[in-house]
Amino acid sequence: MTNIAYDVAIVGAGIVGAACADECARRGLRVVVVDRETVGSGATAAGMGHIVVMDDTEAQFALTRYSQALWQQLRPELPDDVEYDQSGTIWVATDEAEMAEVCRKRDYYGERNVATEVLDEPALRNLEPNLRPGMAGGLLVPEDGVLYPPCAARFMMERAQQRGAKFRVRCSVAHLGQGRIELSDGQVIRAEFLVNAAGALAPDLTPGHEINKRKGHLVITDRYPGFVRHQLVELGYLKSAHSVSSDSVAFNVQPRRTGQILIGSSRQYGAEHKEVDHEMLVRMLQRAQEYMPGLRPMSTVRTWTGFRAATPDKLPLIGPWLGDKSLFLATGHEGLGITTSLGTARILVDQITGAKPEIPIEPYLPSRAAKEHAHA
């Protein structure tokens, strides 16, 4: 047993946990991070690394926009292997109904000072000539970016350690609460505040909140420089993202600095195994090929899966857990954990230290789930 006392002890060294550790250390808090594997080995390694502003709800917009600004501030400090590129997103529309959604998004973003450009079919074809002919157009969001999540998480963890944070790898947690982390080997870590940043595994340590696992597949191709120039997402992606129970696929591809193409996306509920689901993989690749037929003959070098932590209202849980004044949550980010990691860390540590957050935090507080349950 160790008697070392920390100000904050974090379970989970994915990009959210690493960002929280870095922010704690930046503010002078004594912090330790515990992970059953190593930094960025869970959902972070299965993320596309899209730094994107989303507009599903006002709360989602606020957190993604705030976080994107923090990434842009951090960008000059990021090492080259993080591969941060402000390539922009194009939301691709296949018909006039989806072009109406393009115009709605343009108006929404414009009212909130997010730059966009509506693309007609010739403009879209000029920017992305490998999309199939006959698209209706799209919406370019030029401030969106992409990065390589495992290296981003590693950078933040290393910077936290340089600021005094401790990091304990390959440590399984048996119990979390009341200022104590009990490890499976019997050791105890004590801290004034505990943070559950364990992603899809968070409910195992803090039962009682509605976090569901969503399994996703990713494929990366060999090098085909210039084939894809922007992050490309079908507007139908929004429909699949809204589903809370059914499996779905959507066209979502990303150019990597290496010239490779990262292909998503899929969502599965109820899948517990990490193995690639061949049927889901085929559906996902067929969807991508419908939009970009030139993907079909390409060689792929790796296919893998990951589990994302999803909440019923599509917003993360960031803040104190009811019934334990020492315990805070930082989980439930689903497919936006990479984007929102920096914003999550800021508003979490604001709450721990009593600082005034820069954005309203009420939509993300774990207590909202208890209130919704009480009113159900």
Side-chain angles (χ1 to χ4, degrees):
M1 179 181 294
T2 176
N3 291 316
I4 297 175
Y6 295 95
D7 297 312
V8 181
I10 300 169
V11 177
I15 199 163
V16 170
C20 290
D22 189 33
E23 185 64 20
C24 284
R26 186 180 74 86
R27 300 200 205 183
L29 299 174
R30 295 169 298 164
V31 59
V32 61
V33 183
V34 178
D35 195 279
R36 66 175 189 165
E37 294 183 27
T38 187
V39 63
S41 56
T44 298
M48 291 191 79
H50 193 188
I51 307 301
V52 57
V53 173
M54 296 288 283
D55 63 338
D56 193 22
T57 61
E58 285 290 344
Q60 186 189 71
F61 173 84
L63 186 58
T64 55
R65 181 61 167 165
Y66 178 51
S67 298
Q68 186 184 74
L70 294 174
W71 277 112
Q72 290 169 343
Q73 292 170 25
L74 182 61
R75 185 179 178 183
E77 301 177 47
L78 294 173
D80 190 62
D81 64 1
V82 174
E83 298 181 23
Y84 192 112
D85 286 320
Q86 193 168 306
S87 55
T89 300
I90 297 178
W91 294 90
V92 181
T94 60
D95 54 31
E96 290 309 309
E98 290 185 351
M99 281 304 293
E101 174 64 10
V102 161
C103 294
R104 185 204 65 79
K105 288 174 75 73
R106 173 202 61 197
D107 294 345
Y108 183 95
Y109 285 148
E111 291 166 0
R112 292 158 181 81
N113 299 312
V114 177
T116 63
E117 180 184 348
V118 173
L119 307 173
D120 60 14
E121 194 274 336
L124 177 64
R125 187 172 62 248
N126 181 59
L127 289 178
E128 291 289 348
N130 291 305
L131 283 166
R132 77 165 189 258
M135 294 290 180
L139 185 73
L140 171 63
V141 187
E143 291 183 17
D144 287 353
V146 299
L147 54 72
Y148 185 53
C151 287
R154 188 216 66 228
F155 163 74
M156 284 188 279
M157 187 63 72
E158 288 179 350
R159 193 168 69 162
Q161 290 175 285
Q162 291 166 3
R163 291 167 165 167
K166 305 300 180 184
F167 183 30
R168 300 184 62 173
V169 298
R170 310 199 189 285
C171 291
S172 295
V173 175
H175 180 73
L176 176 71
Q178 305 303 326
R180 293 162 49 95
I181 297 176
E182 297 179 15
L183 303 180
S184 298
D185 64 5
Q187 292 188 70
V188 173
I189 297 172
R190 291 180 172 83
E192 183 177 358
F193 298 103
L194 309 173
V195 177
N196 183 346
L201 299 175
D204 297 341
L205 299 175
T206 309
H209 55 81
E210 290 190 79
I211 295 286
N212 292 305
K213 287 183 180 179
R214 270 187 167 176
K215 182 178 179 179
H217 287 69
L218 286 176
V219 175
I220 194 161
T221 72
D222 207 338
R223 296 168 189 256
Y224 300 94
F227 185 87
V228 177
R229 303 170 184 176
H230 304 77
Q231 178 97 24
L232 301 178
V233 190
E234 66 165 288
L235 278 160
Y237 174 91
L238 301 174
K239 300 172 189 174
S240 69
H242 288 167
S243 172
V244 296
S245 59
S246 59
D247 295 349
S248 62
V249 298
F251 170 63
N252 189 353
V253 299
Q254 177 186 111
R256 301 299 324 185
R257 189 179 292 179
T258 56
Q260 295 171 284
I261 302 163
L262 187 60
I263 305 172
S265 68
S266 69
R267 288 176 163 83
Q268 285 177 281
Y269 273 110
E272 295 294 331
H273 60 85
K274 290 184 177 181
E275 286 75 18
V276 171
D277 183 316
H278 182 71
E279 181 181 348
M280 182 59 64
L281 180 65
V282 168
R283 283 180 58 191
M284 186 181 82
L285 290 175
Q286 286 177 341
R287 187 65 173 173
Q289 291 160 8
E290 287 174 17
Y291 279 76
M292 300 192 90
L295 291 171
R296 189 169 288 111
M298 289 186 177
S299 299
T300 60
V301 296
R302 185 183 174 212
T303 301
W304 71 107
T305 70
F307 292 98
R308 301 165 189 134
T311 63
D313 64 2
K314 311 293 188 303
L315 294 174
L317 305 175
I318 310 169
W321 180 240
L322 299 177
D324 185 345
K325 64 181 182 181
S326 72
L327 181 58
F328 286 69
L329 302 185
T331 185
H333 298 80
E334 216 261 301
L336 291 171
I338 310 301
T339 290
T340 59
S341 55
L342 297 186
T344 293
R346 287 286 180 98
I347 64 177
L348 180 85
V349 182
D350 286 339
Q351 292 176 74
I352 287 173
T353 61
K356 180 177 174 56
E358 294 181 292
I359 63 171
I361 62 171
E362 288 74 19
Y364 323 111
L365 294 177
S367 59
R368 77 181 187 273
K371 291 175 184 176
E372 290 167 3
H373 182 74
H375 290 115

